[in-house]
Amino acid sequence: QSMPDEMVIFIEVAIVKGITRSIQDILGAPAAKPARNGPPDTAIFYSINNTQNGLTGLGFGKLLIFQVVDAIRKEHPQIETFATLSPIPGFWDRYLKRILQGDDQPFALKKKDVEALFPEKIRASLLKYHAEKTGAPAADVSAVLLDLLSKTDWIQDARYVQWLEKPLLELAYSHVAKEKGKRGKPLNPVANFHISNGATVNRENVNFGANPSPRGLAESCGLMVNYIYSDTWRHQIRRTVKSLLPWKT
């Protein structure tokens, strides 16, 4: 009652055809957006913001998302798929960088596991090319990755993109889907929010080069994730909301 007219949380949604896998497809110039034939059938949540820091952790998630989904279905009854296009905060600085530096004790993924994602032939090519570009031979792939991913210009080099895409997708999926905190919940805060609220994620939902902005590259190596809210989830949460707030359904 103390802030009846203040916005507490807001969600930005794009109504599109098919699941959007790049933030540029939503926020980029119209000419740069891919042409998609047919009426929109998907709602993409691409920004969720809590405007009141004191309310963090109070668990508005399920109710908030349900209400947004319900409002969208009323206005756009043809929408069948609800998903997010989410960042991976901390993926580089608080996770992968630490692992590459050998500080991997807190994590399920180890430095040797990162090295193993690069087949011997690709490993040799990466080390050779990096040495040619920098004039300073690296001791191993981890050293190359530390150098490259600490900057943002690597994504402009087609060879680096070719060699890093698949390993980075695997590493990001491991981070959001497999790494757990002390309480057994997803380590990544965004993954924890959506998975705790009923969304699912699989390997195909991780998108390479989805946010090539300097911030996106510095934060999560340019990767983003689609968390999917299924029909089953919507039916379950509708029953839950109906029991808690019968006037809402």
Side-chain angles (χ1 to χ4, degrees):
Q1 295 181 351
S2 61
M3 50 180 190
D5 298 319
E6 289 191 44
M7 183 179 295
V8 176
I9 302 174
F10 65 90
I11 297 180
E12 294 180 83
V13 184
I15 305 300
V16 297
K17 174 71 174 178
I19 292 179
T20 301
R21 302 186 182 278
S22 169
I23 195 65
Q24 291 180 312
D25 291 347
I26 296 175
L27 302 179
K33 297 178 182 179
R36 300 190 180 189
N37 297 324
D41 58 7
T42 303
I44 299 290
F45 307 149
Y46 64 92
S47 179
I48 300 178
N49 292 284
N50 182 354
T51 65
Q52 305 291 334
N53 291 332
L55 298 178
T56 300
L58 291 186
F60 289 122
K62 282 188 175 67
L63 178 59
L64 171 67
I65 294 171
F66 169 77
Q67 289 183 304
V68 173
V69 168
D70 208 39
I72 292 171
R73 288 299 295 271
K74 289 176 181 177
E75 187 172 346
H76 304 277
Q78 80 279 12
I79 299 298
E80 296 294 337
T81 301
F82 294 85
T84 77
L85 182 61
S86 301
I88 317 176
F91 171 67
W92 168 243
D93 199 45
R94 298 195 299 271
Y95 179 68
L96 184 54
K97 183 178 180 180
R98 290 180 61 184
I99 292 171
L100 295 173
Q101 291 172 330
D103 182 19
D104 57 11
Q105 190 276 330
F107 309 114
L109 188 79
K110 305 302 179 186
K111 182 178 177 180
K112 63 179 177 61
D113 299 323
V114 178
E115 297 266 354
L117 291 173
F118 293 83
E120 185 175 346
K121 185 176 180 181
I122 291 179
R123 193 178 312 169
S125 297
L126 180 58
L127 286 166
K128 180 181 178 181
Y129 184 67
H130 180 263
E132 292 172 352
K133 294 278 285 186
T134 63
D140 53 26
V141 167
S142 292
V144 172
L145 295 177
L146 271 171
D147 179 55
L148 291 179
L149 300 177
S150 294
K151 307 167 186 175
T152 59
D153 58 354
W154 63 269
I155 202 165
Q156 299 170 19
D157 189 309
R159 291 192 186 182
Y160 285 141
V161 168
Q162 178 184 353
W163 293 326
L164 268 57
E165 179 174 357
K166 185 175 179 181
L168 282 176
L169 288 170
E170 294 293 344
L171 292 167
Y173 177 67
S174 177
H175 178 55
V176 301
K178 300 178 182 179
E179 292 286 357
K180 306 296 181 184
K182 293 181 180 179
R183 298 182 179 181
K185 295 183 178 181
L187 182 65
N188 183 272
V190 176
N192 181 46
F193 175 84
H194 289 294
I195 293 172
S196 296
N197 286 317
T200 61
V201 63
N202 59 45
R203 167 62 180 73
E204 289 69 33
N205 299 138
V206 183
N207 307 299
F208 181 82
N211 184 0
S213 69
R215 179 179 177 179
L217 289 164
E219 181 178 75
S220 56
C221 304
L223 297 143
M224 299 188 79
V225 179
N226 298 118
Y227 297 97
I228 311 298
Y229 285 89
S230 67
D231 286 336
T232 300
W233 172 84
R234 293 205 302 274
H235 294 322
Q236 290 174 342
I237 196 63
R238 179 177 288 277
R239 289 197 294 270
T240 300
V241 172
K242 186 175 182 179
S243 66
L244 294 174
L245 305 172
W247 62 89
K248 286 286 184 182
T249 57

